[in-house]
Amino acid sequence: MNILLLGSGGREHALAWKLAQSPSLGKLYAAPGNPGIAAEATCVALDAGDHEAAVAFAREKDIGLVVIGPEAPLVDGLADTLRGADIPVFGPSRAAAQLEGSKGFTKDLCAEGHIPTAAYTRASSLEEARDALARFKPPFVLKADGLAAGKGVVIADDLPQAEMVLTDMFAGDLPGSEVVIEEFLEGEEASFFALCDGTTVLPFGTAQDHKQVGEGDRGANTGGMGAYSPAPVLTDELQARVMDEIVRPTAAIMAGRGMPYSGVLYAGLMLTADGPKLIEYNCRFGDPECQVLMMRYQGDLAALMLACAKGELAGEEARFAEETALTVVMAAKGYPGTPEKGGAIVLNDAESGGAKVFHAGTAIKDGALVANGGRVLNVTAMGPDVTRAQQAAYAAVERIDLPSGFYRRDIGWKEVAREGE
């Protein structure tokens, strides 16, 4: 089976790396890919926004499955176009992708299905949003309704800050036409993944990531500075509750609305004193959570994704290594603002100890590897527990020369502290 993978980041490199190991794979193409992906696949210049070009390429290369990595093409309806051309695709329809594309859509769905989540209100104007603040206590959780590359959420500590943030949201390039204001939830965040084929829901691992740019989980929000899997805080009992109270009801509602969900469903959770509550859904693998999941996954990923795409998940299983995987993001200075691009990268022997370096924002310039984005590399390693996976990952990081970059030195710190107790 030939596969076309769409995307160019660290998530897509991890998917390409794992797909390349699949016995059922024929030839793997990636569009547009990156220098790391080029070691696993044939990279091609194909614009995911040009639906007809994607269909034509799939037919020309006898593509048996298209895997859509990022969220934007899904929200844009690329999966619908491909399915309309009888091309199997791993990823939800435009209607189903509203679970990520519109935070208001998801909150309303939770209300309908009595799915545990934070109390909320939707506001479509600055005046309406300011009035709504009176119904909540600080800190205030403010979310732009549409896609924001993982950075559309602001937690305002007090009323003046909240009003200032709302003013900026409505005055700027707001993703979507609304803001969602939510109750602040106390607890620890964790991520739960499931594969859905429209009917069957298959658990697909857990992880915890670090969104803030600074150590100790401080500073500006980013797309993610590191992650580890599994998440010990998501016990078997809690995972069962997530499936029964959150994920399965969501899949049932979506099917009942005539927009069955197909693909990976990523639930961002807050583990509160009252149990797990949904923070948000994503309709694709997290980045960098995908990297740690792929390091641990044991099986034919291509075959499993095809089963998902064809509605044949019933009876399938997802097997993962018992070990922990941990990834450290090496970012360009200036991130999450304006990153410095063009900085030289020398990987040296970073992978010699069993680590894997996934390329996120890299390019080849004059024959040399350079930084070409905010998050540049995802250095990933395995260990018997978080502490030893962390040690292995940072040992690999230290072998890499990236003078124009930086990284957090405490990925996994909460779990390392718990393991040391």
Side-chain angles (χ1 to χ4, degrees), residues 215 225-226 326-329 379 381 387-400 407-412:
E215 291 170 13
M225 294 299 294
L326 184 143
T327 191
V328 177
V329 170
V379 185
T387 301
R388 283 174 282 186
Q390 183 196 64
Q391 292 168 349
Y394 280 108
V397 167
E398 289 168 6
R399 297 187 184 104
I400 296 173
Y407 55 91
R408 281 183 53 169
R409 300 174 183 272
D410 66 343
I411 301 303

Side-chain angles (χ1 to χ4, degrees), residues 64-286:
L65 176 67
V66 177
V67 177
I68 303 176
E71 61 272 25
L74 294 167
V75 173
D76 188 44
L78 178 58
D80 303 78
T81 302
L82 291 164
R83 288 193 180 99
D86 294 322
I87 299 166
V89 56
F90 181 83
S93 66
R94 181 202 299 265
Q98 290 181 90
L99 283 173
E100 178 168 3
S102 171
K103 294 177 177 64
F105 173 90
T106 298
K107 298 298 288 190
D108 290 350
L109 180 143
C110 289
E112 175 187 334
H114 305 288
I115 293 168
T117 189
Y120 76 103
T121 191
R122 300 171 67 169
S124 56
S125 70
L126 179 58
E127 181 180 12
E128 186 181 0
R130 282 175 169 168
D131 290 343
L133 288 173
R135 297 175 226 160
F136 297 86
K137 297 177 181 179
F140 303 95
V141 181
L142 312 173
K143 298 181 176 181
D145 182 64
L147 296 179
K151 292 173 277 189
V153 179
V154 177
I155 298 175
D157 294 327
D158 52 37
L159 187 59
Q161 184 187 5
E163 291 180 336
M164 182 175 65
V165 169
L166 289 171
T167 300
D168 290 343
M169 282 183 164
F170 281 102
D173 297 323
L174 183 67
S177 58
E178 291 187 339
V179 165
V180 173
I181 302 172
E182 287 188 7
E183 161 199 21
F184 180 80
L185 295 177
E186 295 276 0
E188 189 165 345
E189 290 190 44
S191 302
F192 182 90
F193 298 85
L195 302 187
C196 308
D197 68 359
T199 304
T200 300
V201 182
L202 178 69
F204 198 78
T206 65
Q208 283 190 282
D209 73 335
H210 297 264
K211 288 291 187 189
Q212 282 72 33
V213 70
E215 291 170 13
D217 295 329
R218 296 183 176 90
N221 243 17
T222 73
M225 294 299 294
Y228 58 92
S229 172
V233 293
L234 270 173
T235 62
D236 290 346
E237 178 185 355
L238 286 177
Q239 289 183 55
R241 288 188 62 179
V242 172
M243 284 290 287
D244 292 342
E245 299 173 16
I246 298 176
V247 177
R248 285 197 184 98
T250 297
I253 292 172
M254 295 296 284
R257 290 183 177 184
M259 50 180 75
Y261 192 92
S262 176
V264 62
L265 187 57
Y266 161 16
L269 307 169
M270 185 68 76
L271 306 182
T272 74
D274 299 323
K277 294 188 178 184
L278 181 71
I279 300 173
E280 65 180 4
Y281 274 128
N282 293 312
C283 59
R284 37 68 190 182
F285 283 107

Side-chain angles (χ1 to χ4, degrees), residues 1-3 17-27 297-304 319:
M1 171 177 59
N2 295 338
I3 293 178
W17 174 74
K18 185 55 67 172
L19 285 168
Q21 301 169 32
S22 295
S24 59
L25 176 69
K27 186 163 186 178
Y297 178 68
Q298 298 176 322
D300 188 329
L301 183 64
L304 187 63
R319 302 185 309 278

